[in-house]
Amino acid sequence: PALRPAAAYRWNDSAVTELSYTFARPDYKVTLLAPQFERDGKIHAFGVNHLIHRGNSPWTVSLGYARTENRPEGADFQSTGDTLSAAVRYEFRANTHLTFSASGGRDRYANPNSLTGSAFARSDSPFGISAQFSAPLGERLRYFLQLQSSRSNSNVTFYDYRQQSVVAGVGAEF
């Protein structure tokens, strides 16, 4: 379960800034043999996002920053992360959009990692890009297609990864 209250301030007709806080309690439903790998716990995240849209322009730009504190029960996954993000959206016609986004950050882990023989703490550099097309499917329905590419470089090689995905879906408005 998670909770995400937010407040936004409209500076003028073209600019809005949102401040948000997220609290989550992940429950992985798996009991691990080694307690240092336990990921159940608490996550606190603070974010700021600024959106700019000029008049009748089809372009919207957003820039964001998030600070995440991950406090699981297991020592290997206690971390603090900082993420910068940017997105550009083009509106072809009413409610039909193409959005390009990118994010990058740094995750610093609090404790020496057990996979290093407890010699040093883990540090990751996640990066992601995506492109999404969305359009109306009816009066209260939308469809979307998203292409994603993400990677994370870590000083603990076991945690390096590369991932590409295609996601499609339908959303309903109530």
Side-chain angles (χ1 to χ4, degrees):
L3 177 66
R4 185 187 182 273
Y9 180 78
R10 179 170 293 280
W11 298 93
N12 54 43
D13 290 343
S14 303
V16 175
T17 300
E18 178 195 65
L19 300 175
S20 65
Y21 167 73
T22 303
F23 174 77
R25 289 192 57 96
D27 183 358
Y28 284 84
K29 308 282 188 216
V30 176
T31 303
L32 299 171
L33 298 175
Q36 67 268 26
F37 296 131
E38 183 62 55
R39 296 180 75 175
D40 291 354
K42 298 176 184 173
I43 297 172
H44 300 274
F46 300 90
V48 61
N49 194 48
H50 187 70
L51 185 119
I52 300 168
H53 180 122
R54 293 263 183 202
N56 292 330
S57 171
W59 296 96
T60 301
V61 175
S62 67
L63 301 170
Y65 167 78
R67 170 103 173 173
T68 304
E69 302 283 336
N70 187 15
R71 297 295 172 246
E73 296 168 11
D76 270 9
F77 294 99
Q78 294 179 10
S79 65
T80 300
D82 295 294
T83 304
L84 294 174
S85 60
V88 175
R89 183 178 84 171
Y90 183 80
E91 185 168 10
F92 294 98
R93 60 180 184 267
N95 294 321
T96 302
H97 310 112
L98 180 61
T99 305
F100 294 98
S101 62
S103 65
R106 172 74 61 172
D107 295 332
R108 293 166 306 286
Y109 290 78
N111 301 307
N113 191 277
S114 62
L115 294 179
T116 68
S118 296
F120 56 87
R122 180 176 152 200
S123 179
D124 295 354
S125 299
F127 177 77
I129 57 173
S130 70
Q132 177 174 299
F133 177 79
S134 65
L137 190 58
E139 186 177 322
R140 296 188 176 264
L141 293 175
R142 299 184 60 67
Y143 70 93
F144 69 91
L145 176 65
Q146 185 177 69
L147 308 173
Q148 301 173 342
S149 179
S150 58
R151 67 177 169 89
S152 184
N153 296 320
S154 179
N155 64 341
V156 180
T157 307
F158 180 79
Y159 294 106
D160 282 344
Y161 69 85
R162 308 268 186 280
Q163 176 180 317
Q164 285 73 41
S165 59
V166 177
V167 180
V170 175
E173 198 176 287
F174 297 100

